Amino acid sequence: MNIAITPAMVGQVVISGILAGALYAMVALGLALIYGVMRVINIAHGPLLMLGAYTTFFLYSALGLNPYLSVPATMLVLFLVGVGLQRTLVFRVVDAPELSSLLLTFGVSIALVNLAQLAFTSDLRAVEYLTGSFPLGPFAVSKTRLVAFLFAAGVTALAFLFLQRTRLGKAIRATSQHREVAMVCGIDVQRVHLITFGLATALAAAGGALLAVIVAIQPEMGQIWTFKSFLVIVLGGAGNYPGALLGGMLLGLIEQGASLFLTTQLSEVVAYVLLVVVLLVRPTGLLGGRQT
Amino acid sequence: MLVVALAVYPTFGTGYGVRAMLQIFMWIALAGSWNLISGLTGYVSFGHVAFFGAGAYTGAILISKASWPWLAAALAGGVGACAVALVIGYPCLRLKGPYFAIAMLGLNEVLRALVSYFEGLTGGGSGLSLPTLHATVPIYYAMAGTAATVTLLTYLIITSRFGLRLMTIREDELAAEAMGIDTARHKLYAFLLSAVGPGIAGALAARDQGYIEPISVFPLATTITMIVMVLFGGKGTVWGPVLGAVVLFVSQEFVWARFPYLHQLLFGAIIVAVVLLMPRGVLGLLQVKYRLPRTI
C-alpha cells in the first residue's frame, strides 16, 4: 500500500477531523458528566443518542420541522427521558458496586435498541436536507458536517458556560468533586443527579439530531457511540471535563488520519488500539485525572 | 444417574434432541466461563462472545488449512482465545473502574473487523467452510466434557484460597490490596481461565456446523444471553450458570425463537429486574431461604 500523501490530503484530514471531533466532544461530555458526578458509566448513552436521531426524524417527517430547528426540541424531549431514567432506575444503583450500574445501564441499552427495532423496524431512515459539499480553497467541506460542527461547538460552549457560571452548574461540579461536602453545603444531591442525567442525555440527543442529517438512522446506530465517548473521556482524562474537548478533537483527527491509510473497517480498529495503548501508557489521560 | 443418562443419550436420542443437548452444554460452558470473571471478581465482560469467535476461527483455520484433527483444533481454540484475553486483559485489568467493561464492549466489533479484513486466512465476509465430517456424537461428548470441566473448575476455584481472593476483590478491591493480594494478577488469571471455555466451545461449534462467518460467531446477542443466564441463575455460584443455561435455553427454544426482538427486549428487562430486585439470582435466593451451603 504505497499511497502518496499530498499536503492537500493532510489539510482535508485536519478539516474533517475537527468537524467530526466537535461532535465527539459534545456527546462524550455527556458521558463524562454522569461519570464525574455519579461514578456511573452509562452504557445506554449511545442508544439514547439513537433515540435523539429518531426524534428528529419523526419531527421532520411527521410535522415537517426543519431538522436544525428541531435540535432544541429533541434535546428537551431526551432531557425528560434522561430525568425519567434517573428517577426510576439509575438512582437505585448510584451507590451500589460498579457491577450493578454497568449491568443495569447495559440492560436499559438492550431494551432501548430492541424497543426501537419493534417500534421503528430496522429500515434505514434518512433526513435529506442540505446535501452535498462546497469547496473551500482546495478542500471539499460537507455542508451537513459543517453545520453539525457549528451546532456542536455552540451547544458545548453553552454547556460549559452553564457549568461555570450558574448556581446549578456549580452545584454539579461541587457534587462531582466531593459529594458529602456538597451535601453539607446544602446542595440537594438527588436533584443534581437528576439534572446531570437529563443534561447528559440531552447532549447525546443533540448528537443524534445532528447525525440524523448525516448518516442513516437505524436502531443499532448508537452502541458504537458509547464506546467512542468513553474513549474520548479516557484520552482527555476521566472526570476532567475540558479534557473531553481535547479527547474529541484527537479522536476525530486520528480516525480521519487513519482513513488515509486503512479501509473504513480497519479505522474502527484504530480507535480500539488507541484505547488499549492509552490505558497501557497513560491511564490518567492526557490532561490527567479529576480536576473539575 | 443424570451423568449416565446424558452419556448414553446419543445412542437413542433423536438427531434434534442430541443437537439441542449439545447446545445446552455449550451454553453451560459459556455462562460458566462468564461467571468466572464477572461473577467472581465483579469485573463485567460485555464482549465474552469474542472468545467464542476467536476459538471458532482458530479451530476452523487449523482444521481447514492445516488439516488438524478436530479435538486438537478445539484445544488450540482455547489457547487462541486465551491469547486474545491476555492482550486485552493485561492493560485493562491493571486499572480499577470501568475500563475493562468498556474495552470488552468494543472487542467483539474489533475481532469481527479483523476477521473480515484478513480474507486470505479467514475467507472474509464470505466465511470459511470446513471439510465434511459426521461427528455430532463425539462432539456431543467433547462439549459435555467442556461444560463439566468449566463447572468443576468453578467449584474448585470457589472452594480455594484463589477463589476467596477473587471474591475479596469483588467485595472491596482496596481492602484486598491492603491485605497484600496482587489484584491485577488475580484478575488477569481469572480472566484467562474464563476465556478458555468459550474458545474451546467456539471451535467445537465451528466443527459441528461445518461453516462459519463473521456474523455467525460474533453476535452481541450471545454475550447478552450468557449474562442473562448467569444473572438469572445466580452469579458467583457453581450451579447458577447451569440452572440459568438450562431454563433460558429451553424457554428460548420453545417460546421465544418466534419473537426475536421481543425476546431481546425481555432479556434487557430481565437484566434490569435482576440487578434491582434479586442481585443474587434464583440460587442466591434459595441459599438464603434454605440455608444452603455457600459453595453450591
Side-chain angles (χ1 to χ4, degrees), chain A residues 42-54 78 105-106 108-113 116 204 219 221-226:
Chain A
N42 179 20
I43 303 287
H45 198 62
L48 286 166
L49 173 146
M50 173 272 296
L51 284 192
Y54 271 105
L78 269 291
T105 54
F106 181 64
V108 170
S109 141
I110 300 165
L112 287 179
V113 172
M221 70 186 283
Q223 282 108 316
I224 187 76
W225 281 83
T226 303

Side-chain angles (χ1 to χ4, degrees), chain B residues 106-126:
Chain B
L107 178 64
N108 196 30
E109 301 305 313
V110 166
L111 284 192
R112 178 151 58 183
L114 286 177
V115 160
S116 310
Y117 182 74
F118 291 104
E119 283 178 55
L121 201 56
T122 62
S126 49

Side-chain angles (χ1 to χ4, degrees), chain A residues 161-220:
Chain A
L161 216 57
F162 168 73
L163 287 175
Q164 292 296 331
R165 294 292 163 82
T166 63
R167 282 186 72 84
L168 197 54
K170 285 176 184 163
I172 290 179
R173 284 188 298 133
T175 311
S176 102
Q177 274 167 8
H178 202 299
R179 171 137 52 113
E180 280 76 23
V181 175
M183 282 169 102
V184 171
C185 294
I187 292 172
D188 181 350
V189 168
Q190 291 302 329
R191 184 160 157 270
V192 165
H193 287 179
L194 277 180
I195 304 284
T196 305
F197 208 97
L199 184 66
T201 309
L203 288 171
L210 294 170
L211 279 171
V213 274
I214 301 177
V215 300
I217 306 168
Q218 42 103 1
E220 296 191 338

Side-chain angles (χ1 to χ4, degrees), chain A residues 98-99 114 230 272 279-280, chain B residues 94 97 102-103 110 235 264-265:
Chain A
E98 195 167 71
L99 176 100
N114 288 287
F230 185 79
Y272 193 78
L279 289 183
L280 258 180
Chain B
R94 292 184 312 156
I102 301 285
V110 166
K235 62 180 192 294
Q264 291 286 316
L265 176 64

Side-chain angles (χ1 to χ4, degrees), chain A residues 11-275:
Chain A
Q12 185 72 54
V13 160
V14 171
I15 291 178
S16 322
I18 289 174
L19 293 188
L23 214 54
Y24 285 144
M26 177 179 68
V27 175
L29 178 63
L31 196 69
L33 274 173
I34 298 180
Y35 185 60
V37 173
M38 288 180 256
R39 308 265 98 193
V40 166
I41 283 288
N42 179 20
I43 303 287
H45 198 62
L48 286 166
L49 173 146
M50 173 272 296
L51 284 192
Y54 271 105
T55 308
T56 299
F57 171 78
F58 284 113
L59 287 175
Y60 173 75
S61 64
L63 304 178
L65 191 62
N66 178 308
Y68 290 114
L69 283 180
S70 75
V71 171
T74 302
M75 286 177 76
L76 181 67
V77 171
L78 269 291
F79 176 86
L80 296 176
V81 171
V83 169
L85 269 178
Q86 170 72 22
R87 185 80 191 73
T88 51
L89 298 175
V90 181
F91 86 96
R92 294 171 203 272
V93 291
V94 170
D95 293 316
E98 195 167 71
L99 176 100
S100 304
S101 59
L102 281 169
L103 284 173
L104 180 100
T105 54
F106 181 64
V108 170
S109 141
I110 300 165
L112 287 179
V113 172
N114 288 287
L115 209 57
Q117 297 269 23
L118 283 172
F120 312 138
T121 74
S122 45
D123 296 348
L124 300 181
R125 322 261 184 164
V127 176
E128 295 220 3
Y129 194 81
L130 264 192
T131 47
S133 52
F134 66 87
L136 179 85
F139 311 118
V141 178
S142 146
K143 288 180 197 163
T144 50
R145 286 273 177 193
L146 181 67
V147 180
F149 168 81
L150 295 174
F151 263 88
V155 169
T156 311
L158 282 178
F160 270 102
L161 216 57
F162 168 73
L163 287 175
Q164 292 296 331
R165 294 292 163 82
T166 63
R167 282 186 72 84
L168 197 54
K170 285 176 184 163
I172 290 179
R173 284 188 298 133
T175 311
S176 102
Q177 274 167 8
H178 202 299
R179 171 137 52 113
E180 280 76 23
V181 175
M183 282 169 102
V184 171
C185 294
I187 292 172
D188 181 350
V189 168
Q190 291 302 329
R191 184 160 157 270
V192 165
H193 287 179
L194 277 180
I195 304 284
T196 305
F197 208 97
L199 184 66
T201 309
L203 288 171
L210 294 170
L211 279 171
V213 274
I214 301 177
V215 300
I217 306 168
Q218 42 103 1
E220 296 191 338
M221 70 186 283
Q223 282 108 316
I224 187 76
W225 281 83
T226 303
F227 177 75
K228 287 191 174 173
S229 303
F230 185 79
L231 173 56
V232 167
I233 301 184
V234 170
L235 279 173
N240 183 331
Y241 301 143
L245 298 186
L246 179 72
M249 289 299 161
L250 268 179
L251 179 60
L253 288 171
I254 292 170
E255 276 194 345
Q256 290 297 322
S259 67
L260 278 183
F261 306 98
L262 306 168
T263 62
T264 353
Q265 258 178 346
L266 281 194
S267 33
E268 301 277 315
V269 177
V270 170
Y272 193 78
V273 173
L274 193 65
L275 175 71

Side-chain angles (χ1 to χ4, degrees), chain B residues 71-87:
Chain B
L71 199 56
L75 295 176
V79 176
C82 210
V84 175
L86 185 64
V87 173

